[in-house]
Amino acid sequence: MPLTGFAQTTIPLESDRFAIVLHTDKQNYLHMVYCGERLNRPDEYKHIAATFRFPGDNSGIYSNAYTPAGTWNLAEPAIELIHNDGNPSLDLKYVSHKTTPIDANVTETAVLVADPVYKVSVTLYYKVWKKENVFEQWSEIRNDEKGPVVLNKYASANLFFTNKDFYLTTFQGQYLKEMQPMEEKLLQGMKTVDSKLGTRAMLLGTPNFMVSFGQPARENSGMVMLGQLAWSGNYKLDFDIDSYQNLRLIAGINPYASAYTLGNGKSFKMPSLIYTLSGNGTGQASRQLHSWARNYRVLDGNGQRLTLLNNWEATYFDFDETKLSGLIGDTKKLGADMFLLDDGWFGNKYPRNNDNAGLGDWQENVKKLPNGIGYLVKEAQKTGVKFGIWIEPEMVNPKSELYEKHPDWVIRQPERPEKYYRNQLVLDLANPDVQDFVFGVVDGLFTRNPELAFIKWDCNAVIYNAYSAWLQKNKIPQTHLYVEYVNGLYKVLQRIRAKYPKVPMMLCSGGGGRGDYELLKYFTEFWPSDDTEPIERIFLQWNYSYFFPSITTDCHVTDWGKQPIKFRVDVASMGKLGFDVVVSHLSPDDLAFCQQALKNYDSFKDIVWHGDQYRLASPYEGPVASVGYVSQDKNRAVMFTYFHSNRVVESFTSRPIRFAGLDPDKQYRLKELNVYPGKKSPVDESKVYSGSFLMNVGINPNVSAGRASVVLQITKVN
Ligand code: DGJ
């Protein structure tokens, strides 16, 4: 069936610059017919469908706004189910739609499609943030049949693009090498990105993607889409180029081992696909997403964050009260806001002295901490810093009292040998008792220590041997486990946030495995990678910055790498700054540098956290990388530039780097920050430049092998 016919109903979903258009054909099937610049005359949207001619009997299905399976569809479906009577066919026709303005910037459109024969319906939701050109799409299926239906596939969103030539960048990797961008031209057939890891689902690959239309993605030109499936468990993204070279995108929970039985009278809400569209390349797309995330999504996205000293790499499991009191003193000496106590503070029958025991037993180890956490919190208070603590409440070591008491709380195949990831197993968050327990870990800590200022929530294992004793006992299919685990986690987090709405919490997952826009509703920040080697970090932070604003990205100075402390601090200052070093091992000059750098960070952190980010020079394109941040009023900016390769290519460093985002008519002065003690900056602070000069001619921070990192402050002259 051709994609022609007369539009019965046209549903434009418009942002300030873009429009996605749905329309129904003569048979009342709902199609997505357009994604592009919004039209000046909205009455013309109804003519779009008739301008395309894709002949062939099955072609009309390609553009389906939510492709069902089992009737005349021969393409990858968005939804596939078995009805209560065992029939596997689904047909979905348009019934109605409603657009609700939420405020001046946000609208939500709900489109109801239903099977004309069976009592199953799906509501397709489209939420649009106009100014940010951000779209959020999810679906909700309802079963009004006489008994349960089984959902074999249940995607969140199904999109269709008729633009020509699609380039896809996915962000894959592995532990210590997360978020590696891989760009390819999509050719006919299907490219799938997925995870089957259960929890810490993004360890090997992420649900973040970039689609560039017509050409490979560029930073400052071209139409691009940056997107993410906001789901913290198994996900699946299908990029399907059809036989007419159109792109079909189907994104949702991974159907792998996850057939879901939906009871009659029940609905199931799928997670959100979140994306932004830009006509000016990835730079603008990222800024849109950052601004949306800060204003609408991330917990306290426009708020403050705490700089910190973490003891993990300073002590690992080897500490006691005296040592920690010393580190609390060091936090103050350094000038950070908070001391963060990491792993190893708990477990008595099985002390947590390494990673093979104690996980799950959240009582202070009496040998290490005879006076408990409360004593340390008070010590911190006396010293004038805040105190934060590490937990990993979803996990258990088999060598723990928790495991001994509640083997049925653990995800494991009872008839098979256990298989461990980092010597641990995952607790069964489908089980409400386990949800209570996990909530209780956090609640107990805050109840006993109301001054606790921060939680680092770790998650270091994948789900092996997926099996839930609780689901079995309650006669719920085992194939619900992956989904109910994630929903259980969200339930716990909702309870925590109802009681402790603002306490900052960091998502950690041995690096990289977690950090998505569903979890970031409850967390203020995340740990992008255990790899803190600063050159690797330039690349990693660059890649994360496509999707996440700097305020969410925790960056710690550690002893990784051979670069001097200045280089390491400068790189970490591009995100939320922390330290994980032995302060007493720093040379007097290094210490003085760090103390001054923390003061400098305090002076510009509002720009890094709340300003607009500009990726100025890509580390992938030469030995120099540069990133700038500009305050919303364009009066202040900060520029970080690095010489990251020893493959000296003079031409790269001899040219200025064009800055961006300033007001061309304002006048600015430059000042070099984070100058190492005893060094002199070549930057002439008396010179005044127009924004126009800095953006068209540029700035040369004069980086070289001997001057490998430079931080410049750019301030408007009054
Ligand atoms: C993995 C994290 O990434 C580290 O920062 C540290 O918290 C360890 N877990 C503790 O076990």
Side-chain angles (χ1 to χ4, degrees), residues 175 310 312 317 342-343 352 390 392 422 456 458 460 508-511 527 530 580:
Y175 179 57
N310 188 190
W312 176 241
F317 296 98
D342 214 285
D343 195 354
R352 179 77 170 166
W390 177 98
E392 193 180 2
R422 205 197 186 202
K456 174 177 175 182
D458 212 340
N460 287 298
C508 181
S509 186
W527 182 235
D530 273 358
D580 205 336

Side-chain angles (χ1 to χ4, degrees), residues 539-579:
F539 289 83
L540 266 163
Q541 291 171 208
W542 180 275
N543 296 330
Y544 274 106
S545 83
Y546 283 111
F547 301 92
F548 301 99
S550 301
I551 192 166
T552 60
T553 314
D554 284 326
C555 301
H556 292 183
V557 177
T558 69
D559 286 334
W560 287 47
K562 294 198 177 69
Q563 283 66 33
I565 193 96
K566 170 175 162 50
F567 194 102
R568 288 180 269 149
V569 171
D570 290 354
V571 172
S573 297
M574 293 193 294
K576 200 217 83 172
L577 176 62
F579 287 79

Side-chain angles (χ1 to χ4, degrees), residues 5-7 9-14 19-23 33-35 37-52:
F6 300 100
T9 305
T10 307
I11 311 170
L13 309 155
E14 288 183 305
I20 285 178
V21 180
L22 308 175
H23 103 157
V33 294
Y34 183 71
C35 172
E37 300 273 342
R38 65 184 275 179
L39 303 185
N40 292 348
R41 278 180 44 198
D43 61 303
E44 287 185 312
Y45 288 126
K46 65 175 177 291
H47 301 312
I48 292 175
T51 61
F52 288 88

